[in-house]
């Protein structure tokens, strides 16, 4: 099974943002125990140290949990960050925008690309540039009805919903036509992680998986 096929099968990508590398292994264990095995570790673009911390987390997951989770890099903004993420062990990249140079670099690195877009023009541009999946971002602001309307003429383009996806609305986004979703703070909660409540994260992961439409 290819990585792209895995994304289509597993459907949910956990967005790991602002979590120190020291928590990555128990977090990966908690999410995978709940049935979520796709982890997007986002670049912290605010500082060089933040960027390096992201790469440390990706490398750690590749070395220690490659048998449990498929790790990707998120908030990727430059071709150099694509190369760095690939070297650290990321298998896919996720961007918040449409940057043909970033997409092209990812394809040269043989990585799956999910590029962020909002309008039909941006979605088509991202797909034409080589994105394997186009994420509609922010999805909650757009709503499932918007995605359904956009998907009708662009049904050949695989879409993902990212930004505001929760247990209550996840099924609606899939019914609207997306192939996957990204879930952030309502799943990967910093306070729960800091106090070591990984069992709660596992239970939330299970709830998201159970909320998927049959």
């Amino acid at each position: 099974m290819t990585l792209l096929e895995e994304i289509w099968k597993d459907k949910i990508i956990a967005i790991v943002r602002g979590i120190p590398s020291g928590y990555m292994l128990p977090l990966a264990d908690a999410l995978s125990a709940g049935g979520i095995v796709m982890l997007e570790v986002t670049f912290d673009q605010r500082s060089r140290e933040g960027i390096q911390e992201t790469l440390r987390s990706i490398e750690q997951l590749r070395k220690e949990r490659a048998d449990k989770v498929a790790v990707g890099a998120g908030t990727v903004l430059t071709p150099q960050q694509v190369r760095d993420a690939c070297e650290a062990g990321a298998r896919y990249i996720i961007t918040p925008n449409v940057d043909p140079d970033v997409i092209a670099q990812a394809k040269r690195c043989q990585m799956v690309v999910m590029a962020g877009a909002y309008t039909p023009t941006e979605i088509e541009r991202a797909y034409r540039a080589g994105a394997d999946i186009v994420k509609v971002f922010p999805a909650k602001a757009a709503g499932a009805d918007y995605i359904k309307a956009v998907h009708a003429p662009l049904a050949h383009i695989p879409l993902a919903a990212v930004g505001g996806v929760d247990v209550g609305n996840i099924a609606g986004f899939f019914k609207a036509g997306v192939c996957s979703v990204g879930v952030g703070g309502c799943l990967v909660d910093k306070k729960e992680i800091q106090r070591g409540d990984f069992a709660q994260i596992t239970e939330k992961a299970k709830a998201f998986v159970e909320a998927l439409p049959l």
Side-chain angles (χ1 to χ4, degrees), residues 21-43:
S21 58
Y23 293 107
M24 281 297 147
L25 298 185
L27 175 59
D29 291 341
L31 289 167
S32 61
I36 295 178
V37 298
M38 297 284 168
L39 272 65
E40 170 198 348
V41 183
T42 67
F43 274 104

Side-chain angles (χ1 to χ4, degrees), residues 57-156:
S57 294
I58 292 171
E59 185 172 17
Q60 187 178 44
L61 289 169
R62 174 181 62 83
K63 288 181 177 179
E64 304 291 339
R65 293 295 186 273
D67 60 329
K68 284 190 173 183
V69 298
V71 62
T75 317
V76 181
L77 297 181
T78 69
Q80 183 61 55
Q81 288 175 0
V82 174
R83 291 189 288 269
D84 291 343
C86 183
E87 185 175 343
R91 298 176 62 192
Y92 52 96
I93 69 158
I94 300 177
T95 76
N97 61 336
V98 182
D99 188 325
D101 292 336
V102 169
I103 295 171
Q105 181 60 58
K107 302 316 288 186
R108 284 193 290 270
C109 292
Q110 299 182 327
M111 301 171 79
V112 169
V113 183
M114 183 184 292
Y118 193 77
T119 68
T121 298
E122 292 171 344
I123 291 169
E124 197 279 331
R125 181 169 176 249
Y127 189 67
R128 184 157 32 91
D132 298 288
I133 299 172
V134 181
K135 76 174 190 181
V136 179
F137 172 80
K140 187 173 184 178
D145 287 344
Y146 174 82
I147 292 177
K148 182 178 180 180
V150 168
H151 183 256
L154 299 177
H156 61 292

